[in-house]
Amino acid sequence: MSINKNILASDPSPYLQQHKDNPVNWQVWSKDILEAAKKNKKPILLSIGYASCHWCHVMARESFEDKETADLMNKYFVNIKVDREERPDIDFVFQSSFQLFNQAGGGWPLTMFLDENGVPFMGGTYFPKKSQSGFPSFKEVLQKVHDAYKEQKENIIKQRELIIKNLDLKKNSVLNQDLEPILETSLSYLDTIKGGYKGSPKFPTFNLYETLLYFYNKTKDKKYLDPVSLLIKQLCSKGIYDHVEGGISRYAVDDDWVIPHFEKMLYDNTQFILLLSKYCKINKDEYFKEKLNQTIEFIKKEFLNKNDLLGSAYDADSDGEEGKYYVYSFKEIKDITDIRNYFEIDEKGNWENKIILVEKKKAPKKF
């Protein structure tokens, strides 16, 4: 099978279509291409992302559209592009691999290096075009991985069984334990002042908070409810929430939940709706009910297309600029009384001289 040209132009995925003109010889994940890598004894560079992912766009512009970088990729690797929204099964396997190698959460773009048999041996997420803040450039990474594979190929391939075994152990160690001891460990990692896990970036991790709420309803122990209350208060009042249209962004870059990564995902917002609706049964405050209703209306209005089908995400970028649609200049809003009354407005802004709306007290239904 030929692996000498970019074949993404013929793929129906909107994400893969974004890369059809890259000078990288992208392939799609298939049995044939895996067999071709094995036959040619070349390692695989696997890049996983999705159409509305901001840092996927950045890495594409910096590296995948760069001829010099693409030449290295084509020379040293079989390059495979995967749309995580079409192949969540592949994404799950390699996110788990990343976590095993790095002992940290993954993300997108996910950049994994696989041996010629398709077994991962190293991985990262976004790599910059030029080295910065202690991170190597993507071209440096490509060269070092190539050199390591060339010099230590036999040892890398020998890791196959160990890696597969560890991934199985990781999966089974969670499934075979009682939930309560795991929850106790999770509670120790939570930020009791700002909510979510300690540090930044801040992800809502709704599955954890669903479980905490379940155990609160079961035990009435407030140690399970308090973290949920804190998280929901932060999600509803800070910059991660869209106070104009409703709904939340995927995560916050900072540990105060002020600066969002502006893309909005359907699955995040449906989980937010589910958790908030359950919380509203416990906390009858109308404020939270208003946030719930606003987000439901946002999904119904903005995510449904003319065929009543739900889209998967809203892009972080507008007119090629991150967050442009969601931020304001001081001049745009300085004379709007309700905004000045209910939101923290600083002439200097709170993000790149722009203003992300953050409540200073409970916001009205409309402003």
Side-chain angles (χ1 to χ4, degrees), residues 230-248:
L230 178 56
L231 176 81
I232 286 179
K233 180 181 177 183
Q234 299 290 66
L235 293 182
C236 289
S237 65
K238 297 297 185 69
I240 192 171
Y241 187 85
D242 183 348
H243 299 282
V244 176
E245 295 183 324
I248 59 168

Side-chain angles (χ1 to χ4, degrees), residues 233 236-239 241-244 287 290-291 294 328 333-346 350 355-367:
K233 180 181 177 183
C236 289
S237 65
K238 297 297 185 69
Y241 187 85
D242 183 348
H243 299 282
V244 176
Y287 168 78
E290 289 167 9
K291 298 292 185 182
Q294 186 184 30
Y328 306 88
I333 59 176
K334 66 183 179 67
D335 297 324
I336 304 176
T337 302
D338 280 345
I339 288 183
R340 296 294 297 269
N341 286 342
Y342 288 97
F343 297 95
E344 298 175 359
I345 305 300
D346 189 309
N350 54 7
I355 295 169
I356 298 170
L357 294 181
V358 175
E359 291 179 8
K360 58 183 178 183
K361 59 182 177 180
K362 291 179 182 178
K365 293 180 181 179
K366 296 181 180 179
F367 53 87

Side-chain angles (χ1 to χ4, degrees), residues 51-254:
S52 62
C53 169
H54 171 71
W55 287 104
C56 298
H57 299 332
V58 173
M59 192 165 177
R61 289 194 299 267
E62 292 179 344
S63 296
F64 302 150
E65 295 174 11
D66 178 68
K67 182 66 165 56
E68 191 175 328
T69 304
D71 286 345
L72 285 177
M73 294 172 67
N74 296 335
K75 180 179 179 182
Y76 294 146
F77 304 97
V78 174
N79 302 289
I80 300 178
K81 257 288 173 199
V82 167
D83 182 345
R84 67 168 294 270
E85 293 182 316
E86 292 201 341
R87 294 302 305 266
D89 53 335
I90 294 174
D91 183 56
F92 176 79
V93 169
F94 291 105
Q95 292 287 348
S96 299
S97 304
F98 175 91
Q99 292 167 27
L100 175 65
F101 296 152
N102 297 280
Q103 296 299 299
W108 301 278
L110 183 67
T111 309
M112 296 297 293
F113 294 95
L114 287 52
D115 69 22
E116 60 204 57
N117 301 302
V119 178
F121 63 89
M122 183 225 164
T125 51
Y126 162 78
F127 290 104
K129 183 175 182 177
K130 298 180 179 179
S131 57
Q132 58 186 40
S133 305
F135 290 96
S137 71
F138 189 47
K139 285 190 289 188
E140 290 174 328
V141 171
L142 295 172
Q143 189 64 55
K144 288 178 179 178
V145 171
H146 164 71
D147 292 344
Y149 192 77
K150 183 178 178 181
E151 295 166 8
Q152 304 175 44
K153 179 176 176 179
E154 289 187 10
N155 290 332
I156 289 172
I157 292 176
K158 282 180 182 178
Q159 294 180 132
R160 172 189 172 92
E161 296 304 322
L162 180 62
I163 291 169
I164 293 173
K165 180 180 178 182
N166 273 285
L167 285 172
D168 285 341
L169 284 174
K170 183 180 178 184
K171 177 180 67 176
N172 293 331
S173 66
V174 174
L175 295 177
N176 293 333
Q177 290 184 42
D178 291 333
L179 274 176
E180 288 179 81
I182 297 174
L183 276 183
E184 293 299 324
T185 301
S186 296
L187 286 171
S188 69
Y189 290 116
L190 295 182
D191 186 333
T192 57
I193 304 299
K194 298 178 178 179
Y197 283 106
K198 296 172 184 175
S200 61
K202 292 279 195 185
F203 285 86
T205 55
F206 289 108
N207 56 335
L208 169 64
Y209 290 92
E210 283 271 352
T211 307
L212 289 172
L213 206 57
Y214 168 81
F215 274 95
Y216 169 73
N217 287 325
K218 178 181 176 182
T219 66
K220 301 304 177 186
D221 190 332
K222 282 200 69 185
K223 73 178 181 181
Y224 296 125
L225 179 63
D226 288 344
V228 181
S229 298
L230 178 56
L231 176 81
I232 286 179
K233 180 181 177 183
Q234 299 290 66
L235 293 182
C236 289
S237 65
K238 297 297 185 69
I240 192 171
Y241 187 85
D242 183 348
H243 299 282
V244 176
E245 295 183 324
I248 59 168
S249 297
R250 185 166 159 256
Y251 66 89
V253 175
D254 63 320

